[in-house]
Amino acid sequence: NSKVKVQRLSLKEGDRQRDKMVLTCSGVNMEVNADHFTKLQTLFARSNQPEPSPDSPALHAAVFALLARYASFQGGHYKAGGFQAAIHGECFD
């Protein structure tokens, strides 16, 4: 049972500042926009009693597993393709 490590990175893209979260487990990195990570954290908290802390190992493992599952749908490489059938975030509320 490997521990998932989480790191927040701030990137400057032109005039824009963008934050992302990098989750690492057993040498495998998964990346997600920081705002999307926060949304996943909120949804995770809704489904767990008592509410987990933001540093919860269970939260980090669940988010890593979700991102790894989605990455596998794309062929396991970040340049392999996108989700052209994506739906709006409101559908997940």
Side-chain angles (χ1 to χ4, degrees), residues 10 12 19 23 34-35 51-52 54-55 62 66 70 74 76 80 90-91:
S10 291
K12 183 143 174 113
D19 292 337
L23 293 87
D35 291 336
E51 186 171 322
D55 296 325
L66 174 78
Y70 283 159
Q74 296 185 153
E90 291 83 16
C91 294

Side-chain angles (χ1 to χ4, degrees), residues 23 36-66 69 92-93:
L23 293 87
H36 295 157
F37 181 85
T38 301
K39 175 102 178 212
L40 291 170
Q41 184 177 8
T42 300
L43 295 172
F44 184 83
R46 282 186 199 167
S47 66
N48 289 277
Q49 298 297 329
E51 186 171 322
S53 75
D55 296 325
S56 164
L59 166 67
H60 296 164
V63 172
F64 182 88
L66 174 78
R69 189 175 307 128
F92 296 101
D93 287 334

Side-chain angles (χ1 to χ4, degrees), residues 13-34:
E13 295 176 342
D15 294 337
R16 226 174 96 187
Q17 187 75 19
R18 187 171 75 89
D19 292 337
K20 70 177 180 178
M21 307 299 282
V22 179
L23 293 87
T24 305
C25 183
S26 298
V28 177
N29 293 332
M30 293 288 131
E31 298 179 5
V32 65
N33 175 294

